[in-house]
Amino acid sequence: MLSQQIPRIPILDDIDVSGKKVFLRVDINVPINPDTGKIADDRRIRVHAKTIKLLVEKYNAAVVIGSHQGRPGEKDFVSLEKHADLLRTYSGVDIEFVEDVMGPTARKAIKELERGRALLLDNLRFVSEELIEAVPEKQANTFLVRRLGPLFDVYVNDAFAAAHRSQPSLVGFPMVLPSVAGPVFYREIDALRRAFEKMESPRIFVLGGVKVHDMVRVIEHLVRSRVADRILTLGLVAQLFLVAKGVGIGIENLRTLEEKGLITLIPRARRILFKGAPIETPIDFATVDDKGNVKDEKVGAITRRIMDIGENTISMYSGFVKDAKVVIMRGSAGVIEDERFRKGTKSLLEAAMDSRAFVLIGGGHLASLVDEESIDKRRVHVSTGGNALLLFLSGETLPALEALAMSAKMFLGW
Ligand code: 3PG
């Protein structure tokens, strides 16, 4: 039933990109360490580097790469200079970095770029239009698309992780250029098809992470579409649902929810619970005091800072995961940057790997804990896209995917 929602989209084999000037939209929006400014996890950069190498070396294309990074006002809203260094290292291609997006410097560099060469533009969100969501027809009329579009022959979208955004660089270019999905994008769609084929019950969603607003939206969709048989909540998402249930999480943790602007989400979480949604919340947490002492505390009697799920929650959640047919995981259970608080996340990942379920790992920090060499790729898919993946699984359409399908009708006569 759900697989019908995946439109047929063109890929590199469907169009001639040899020697062409290509705009390649990637998603190298990566976690940045707020203290050092260093890239904390470069998985997305590694996977997209392969696409760049392919376009440059196999197709001899002139490849202009564009990506966003962070959002204005956030500490990870930075230039892509360091990303360029890593892209060079992983692709082996001498990628030029241009500190501009659509101004005269960028346009001159794009026009002069020769076949078999690559160039990375700076953070696309330095252009404010890029953050506005609108329908493709409107995005085709933005300055970004009008200024850059005429400089290209083909648009390749490899940014599956941003496919849930209807922004100019994702949905505007397909309206003005012949467009295809890149290999990273296509692999994700293929994994979704496989997940849908195996949509037997029980389907367990294990959800945490820091993008709590997005996650509440995902859960609302999951509940409406009845895709999830059980939703195991982790991290701040779990704390939000505990508060919505009227369970105390300790003053310090409540203050954190407030500081992060999450208190306003409580009524939405309550509405989800009132609908009888299959939401599970932790029964204990690993907590830490000011001196750094760690111990497990039961929910309802939390006095210290929450850092991970506790032992009892690990066994309860692992039990659900082991019996599942499909497991979809997104976000970590604790503060995994600190070795002491990785146990919850690692144990749940182990339970998923030991099960017979089809496992989809939704990007981010969680993916960095998976040893990709040792997994059975037929049964486990590590996605670059976290929320895009979840929103699609829960029944939302992905604007960037729809735009590629529309473009195929307009330019390829599909
Ligand atoms: C992501 O990491 O989910 C994508 O890169 C989209 O980023 P955004 O949530 O800032 O739009």
Side-chain angles (χ1 to χ4, degrees):
M1 178 254 304
L2 281 163
S3 59
Q4 285 163 13
Q5 294 169 0
I6 303 183
R8 190 172 152 239
I9 48 167
I11 57 174
L12 283 174
D13 289 344
D14 294 312
I15 198 167
D16 182 17
V17 293
S18 301
K20 298 272 169 69
K21 194 155 280 181
V22 174
F23 183 84
L24 171 66
R25 177 55 160 105
V26 295
D27 186 344
I28 47 173
N29 176 30
V30 288
I32 307 279
N33 183 316
D35 303 321
T36 61
K38 286 201 177 129
I39 291 173
D41 173 23
D42 62 12
R43 189 173 171 273
R44 282 184 178 176
I45 298 180
R46 275 185 279 129
V47 297
H48 286 299
K50 288 189 189 149
T51 308
I52 297 166
K53 190 175 165 67
L54 180 82
L55 287 169
V56 167
E57 292 182 359
K58 182 172 171 200
Y59 293 100
N60 194 33
V63 186
V64 175
I65 311 149
S67 176
H68 70 283
Q69 167 66 55
R71 289 174 167 252
E74 302 291 334
K75 287 204 170 137
D76 64 351
F77 186 53
V78 295
S79 155
L80 297 187
E81 204 172 346
K82 292 198 178 97
H83 303 59
D85 291 339
L86 288 173
L87 278 178
R88 272 182 218 118
T89 307
Y90 292 128
S91 66
V93 175
D94 182 21
I95 301 166
E96 184 187 344
F97 174 65
V98 176
E99 222 179 83
D100 188 14
V101 176
M102 63 173 195
T105 314
R107 295 209 301 277
K108 183 167 182 288
I110 295 170
K111 281 183 200 150
E112 288 173 0
L113 188 73
E114 289 169 12
R115 293 170 176 194
R117 317 269 317 168
L119 170 168
L120 174 67
L121 297 173
D122 213 337
N123 189 344
L124 295 176
R125 287 184 180 171
F126 287 173
V127 171
S128 57
E129 276 179 332
E130 179 61 10
L131 270 147
I132 299 169
E133 305 249 347
V135 293
E137 294 76 5
K138 215 167 168 193
Q139 301 295 33
N141 212 17
T142 52
F143 280 100
L144 184 79
V145 176
R146 278 193 287 153
R147 289 215 170 138
L148 297 189
L151 307 182
F152 294 99
D153 302 309
V154 177
Y155 169 80
V156 177
N157 190 350
D158 218 18
F160 174 80
H164 56 311
R165 306 286 180 222
S166 193
Q167 292 162 346
S169 72
L170 294 154
V171 302
F173 287 114
M175 298 300 102
V176 300
L177 287 168
S179 302
V180 298
V184 174
F185 196 115
Y186 189 72
R187 259 200 312 278
E188 299 284 359
I189 296 298
D190 200 43
L192 281 172
R193 281 210 179 92
R194 280 187 287 147
F196 285 139
E197 271 164 21
K198 296 193 190 339
M199 267 302 184
E200 308 146 60
S201 286
R203 297 182 290 260
I204 308 286
F205 284 69
V206 189
L207 303 180
V210 287
K211 290 188 181 175
V212 183
H213 282 87
D214 273 352
M215 199 50 86
V216 169
R217 179 170 154 212
V218 164
I219 293 175
E220 284 167 343
H221 274 278
L222 288 175
V223 171
R224 204 173 305 134
S225 58
R226 297 177 193 275
V227 172
D229 293 305
R230 220 180 267 279
I231 300 170
L232 314 181
T233 58
L234 304 169
L236 288 170
V237 183
Q239 294 173 48
L240 175 76
F241 275 97
L242 283 167
V243 175
K245 280 180 176 177
V247 180
I249 57 166
I251 190 74
E252 194 174 343
N253 302 302
L254 200 55
R255 205 173 296 131
T256 306
L257 286 189
E258 196 172 2
E259 278 163 14
K260 292 190 180 294
L262 303 177
I263 296 293
T264 51
L265 290 175
I266 294 172
R268 275 169 73 185
R270 237 178 236 143
R271 275 197 294 278
I272 293 172
L273 292 166
F274 283 154
K275 283 188 186 136
I279 306 274
E280 300 290 340
T281 46
I283 47 179
D284 60 351
F285 285 107
T287 62
V288 68
D289 66 13
D290 291 342
K291 296 194 181 76
N293 300 313
V294 181
K295 72 169 182 187
D296 276 7
E297 289 187 302
K298 280 204 185 101
V299 160
I302 307 277
T303 56
R304 303 140 37 116
R305 190 145 36 100
I306 293 175
M307 301 301 278
D308 196 0
I309 51 175
E311 291 290 347
N312 294 321
T313 307
I314 291 177
S315 9
M316 177 176 91
Y317 278 13
S318 298
F320 291 134
V321 167
K322 277 188 179 134
D323 291 336
K325 287 275 171 32
V326 180
V327 179
I328 288 129
M329 302 181 81
R330 163 78 174 151
S332 48
V335 184
I336 57 170
E337 291 78 5
D338 185 331
E339 183 81 47
R340 294 173 300 165
F341 306 113
R342 280 187 198 161
K343 187 166 182 201
T345 311
K346 281 189 156 178
S347 306
L348 295 178
L349 274 171
E350 268 162 35
M353 298 303 169
D354 290 347
S355 74
R356 289 164 171 240
F358 180 77
V359 182
L360 266 178
I361 311 274
H365 281 52
L366 190 60
S368 65
L369 291 186
V370 179
D371 173 12
E372 286 186 56
E373 298 307 310
S374 69
I375 56 174
D376 173 358
K377 297 215 168 51
R378 286 162 307 176
R379 195 175 68 76
V380 182
H381 175 71
V382 183
S383 173
T384 51
N387 289 346
L389 175 92
L390 286 170
L391 285 167
F392 195 66
L393 282 173
S394 62
E396 253 202 28
T397 53
L398 296 179
L401 180 65
E402 300 294 322
L404 285 176
M406 278 161 75
S407 184
K409 285 200 187 106
M410 290 160 63
F411 294 97
L412 308 182
W414 282 26

